[in-house]
């Protein structure tokens, strides 16, 4: 393992009724004006908004609504939120939703305390925020693990760019699996596959020798796969929903990444695909992963073979290490089909090769990947994924 320093600032309140426990414990530590941020309004339909509003009112807080945060949050929405925070002198941000809402708010939090544009600061000056408006996160759709770190994925429409912007940590996170019951199952499964993707892209990073972080990761991946299958049998299986909510958190709270340089090449490709098409994140990852991994596996056969054995239970009888590795990719693709996610981009309505060429030409090429890709090969991968 590489050298590391590990600390963790986010306090987690987990389980049914966690919001009440969290807000009653935490709201006394923050100022009077609270921005309540959410997406398209589902939190109002399922009662979560009213529950939180009551708790905020009981605590004597003045509530400022910030709604309409979209599934792929835009840079313009970030700036809208930061402007609102400044205009209303917001003391605390409560982000309520899935990864999109939480990501948007993490950057709003930082931008609201800065005089300069945060994208320019990070991508032109190489500086990152050190302060922000205090915030908490109430997770209603798990999978991204966004509540567990300061990183955010934002779409900068004017630049045709989707990528990471560093914001601030939530001081606390509420993980109540009952909040996921009103979500469409396709969204739940898509989010859970994002968790699996986070795990795989961490596992396949460097160093490539087996280590403690990877061994923990194998258990998290097996749990994610098992509980997706359980949930497809019984949508109301709260044990499965609880486990998926926690594996989502585990995939992104830094524990699996200790001593690692992560891969995340599939995520980088999908981010740019979404910049051009606004596609669903989990579905895009599902379509890209198998083809990308068939290109990667020969270069990282040892890691891929271990993944095949320990996570996918591949029969290795009379197989070479590379054959075991590729059998693991086949098992991944079969699982994607089993859980009803797309295995091709055309299933998502994405067929324009001009767009795929642009994605290949603009996506980030990651340092932790076992294969050093050229852009022409990324284009071939996208065409094969079509």
């Amino acid at each position: 393992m590489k050298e590391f320093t590990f600390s963790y600032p986010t306090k987690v309140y987990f389980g049914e009724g966690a919001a009440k426990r969290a807000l009653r414990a935490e709201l006394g530590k923050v100022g009077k004006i609270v921005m309540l941020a959410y997406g398209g309004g589902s939190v109002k339909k399922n009662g979560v908004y009213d529950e939180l509003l009551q708790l905020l009112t009981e605590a004597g807080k003045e509530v400022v609504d910030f709604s309409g945060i979209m599934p792929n949050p835009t840079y313009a929405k970030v700036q809208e939120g930061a402007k609102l925070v400044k205009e209303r002198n917001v003391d605390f941000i409560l982000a309520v939703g899935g990864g999109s809402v939480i990501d948007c708010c993490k950057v709003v939090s930082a931008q609201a305390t800065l005089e300069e544009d945060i994208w320019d600061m990070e991508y032109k000056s190489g500086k990152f925020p050190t302060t922000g408006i205090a915030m908490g996160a109430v997770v209603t759709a798990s999978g991204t693990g966004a509540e567990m770190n300061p990183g955010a994925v934002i779409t900068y429409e004017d630049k045709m760019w989707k990528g990471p912007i560093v914001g601030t940590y939530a001081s606390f996170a509420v993980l109540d699996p009952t909040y996921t019951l009103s979500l469409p199952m396709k969204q739940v499964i898509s989010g859970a596959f994002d968790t699996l993707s986070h795990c795989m892209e961490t596992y396949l990073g460097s160093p490539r020798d087996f280590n403690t972080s990877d061994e923990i990761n194998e258990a998290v991946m097996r749990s994610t796969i098992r509980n997706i299958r359980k949930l497809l049998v019984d949508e109301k299986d709260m044990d499965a929903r609880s486990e998926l909510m926690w594996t989502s958190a585990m995939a992104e709270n830094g524990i699996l990444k200790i001593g690692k340089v992560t891969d995340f090449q599939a995520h980088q490709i999908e981010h740019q695909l979404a910049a051009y098409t606004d596609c669903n994140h989990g579905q895009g990852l599902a379509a890209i992963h198998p083809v990308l991994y068939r290109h990667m596996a020969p270069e990282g056969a040892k890691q891929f073979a271990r993944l095949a054995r320990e996570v996918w239970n591949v029969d290795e009888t009379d197989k070479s290490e590379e054959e075991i590795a590729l059998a693991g990719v086949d098992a991944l693709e079969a699982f994607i089909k089993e859980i009803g996610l797309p295995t091709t981009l055309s299933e998502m309505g994405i067929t324009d090769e001009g767009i795929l060429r642009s994605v290949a030409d603009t996506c980030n090429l990651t340092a932790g990947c076992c294969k050093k890709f050229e852009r022409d090969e990324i284009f071939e991968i996208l065409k094969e994924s079509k």
Side-chain angles (χ1 to χ4, degrees):
M1 295 177 74
K2 292 184 175 293
E3 301 84 1
F4 65 86
T5 300
F6 182 77
S7 64
Y8 201 70
T10 303
K11 186 174 184 178
V12 175
Y13 292 83
F14 188 94
E16 188 171 355
K20 185 178 292 187
R21 290 187 285 117
L23 268 60
R24 287 179 175 170
E26 300 292 339
L27 287 178
K29 305 172 186 177
V30 304
K32 184 178 179 61
I33 303 176
V34 175
M35 186 166 84
L36 189 56
Y38 53 97
S42 62
V43 294
K44 289 191 171 181
K45 295 175 185 175
N46 62 23
V48 173
Y49 179 91
D50 289 340
E51 177 186 349
L52 297 175
L53 184 63
Q54 181 178 342
L55 290 166
L56 289 166
T57 303
E58 287 175 358
K61 305 303 180 184
E62 178 184 331
V63 176
V64 175
D65 263 27
F66 178 46
S67 62
I69 300 173
M70 58 288 290
N72 287 307
T74 64
Y75 198 65
K77 194 68 178 176
V78 165
Q79 297 302 331
E80 177 188 335
K83 181 181 178 184
L84 183 62
V85 168
K86 291 178 179 179
E87 288 176 347
R88 298 294 298 272
N89 295 313
V90 167
D91 299 303
F92 183 77
I93 301 168
L94 188 62
V96 186
S100 298
V101 172
I102 297 166
D103 274 3
C104 183
C105 289
K106 287 187 288 189
V107 187
V108 166
S109 165
Q111 179 67 84
T113 63
L114 296 170
E115 294 300 322
E116 58 189 310
D117 180 275
I118 193 169
W119 193 93
D120 286 346
M121 183 182 84
E122 294 188 12
Y123 282 92
K124 292 183 179 179
S125 303
K127 298 184 296 181
F128 297 93
T130 56
T131 61
I133 303 297
M135 68 170 284
V138 178
V139 180
T140 63
S142 65
T144 68
E147 71 279 8
M148 307 307 285
N149 57 58
V153 179
I154 303 296
T155 300
Y156 202 148
E157 292 179 303
D158 292 349
K159 299 180 182 293
M160 293 302 291
W161 175 92
K162 179 180 177 181
I165 299 179
V166 176
T168 58
Y169 278 97
S171 60
F172 67 87
V174 172
L175 277 65
D176 184 341
T178 66
Y179 286 174
T180 69
L181 283 167
S182 62
L183 293 173
M185 271 302 291
K186 193 167 187 177
Q187 185 176 346
V188 174
I189 299 305
S190 177
F193 186 81
D194 191 20
T195 295
L196 182 61
S197 176
H198 291 160
C199 291
M200 292 189 296
E201 299 221 66
T202 299
Y203 188 86
L204 295 168
S206 62
R208 311 212 179 276
D209 293 328
F210 196 45
N211 55 72
T212 301
S213 297
D214 287 348
E215 195 164 9
I216 298 169
N217 195 336
E218 289 171 357
V220 175
M221 285 189 277
R222 288 192 297 265
S223 177
T224 301
I225 293 162
R226 180 176 64 254
N227 285 291
I228 290 174
R229 285 174 167 148
K230 285 178 64 179
L231 205 56
L232 288 171
V233 173
D234 179 5
E235 295 182 8
K236 295 183 179 178
D237 186 333
M238 292 310 301
D239 180 63
R241 287 177 180 270
S242 296
E243 294 294 327
L244 288 172
M245 185 164 260
W246 186 239
T247 58
S248 169
M250 279 292 293
E252 282 299 313
N253 65 9
I255 290 174
L256 306 186
K257 299 177 183 180
I258 290 175
K260 300 276 293 186
V261 176
T262 61
D263 171 9
F264 278 80
Q265 188 60 69
H267 265 72
Q268 299 306 312
I269 296 170
E270 195 286 328
H271 285 166
Q272 278 307 96
L273 186 69
Y276 282 90
T277 68
D278 198 32
C279 67
N280 175 275
H281 180 55
Q283 292 182 32
L285 289 170
I288 291 166
H289 261 297
V291 176
L292 175 68
Y293 280 1
R294 288 192 180 98
H295 281 250
M296 284 173 57
E299 301 288 334
K302 185 177 179 180
Q303 283 175 292
F304 274 92
R306 191 170 63 238
L307 179 67
R309 285 190 296 265
E310 300 298 331
V311 175
W312 296 111
N313 198 28
V314 164
D315 181 1
E316 55 188 307
T317 306
D318 297 326
K319 291 185 179 75
S320 67
E321 190 166 64
E322 185 173 324
E323 287 171 335
I324 297 167
L326 291 170
V329 180
D330 290 342
L332 169 63
E333 185 172 48
F335 177 70
I336 292 168
K337 290 179 181 177
E338 175 191 342
I339 65 178
L341 291 181
T343 55
T344 65
L345 295 175
S346 59
E347 292 175 62
M348 303 166 61
I350 301 171
T351 58
D352 187 333
E353 290 194 5
I355 287 176
L356 301 184
R357 181 75 250 186
S358 296
V359 171
D361 288 344
T362 57
C363 74
N364 184 37
L365 302 177
T366 62
C369 186
C370 63
K371 181 171 184 176
K372 303 309 172 191
F373 285 101
E374 300 293 335
R375 298 200 178 275
D376 285 347
E377 187 172 4
I378 298 292
F379 181 44
E380 291 304 314
I381 289 166
L382 286 164
K383 287 194 293 182
E384 289 173 37
S385 300
K386 184 160 69 77

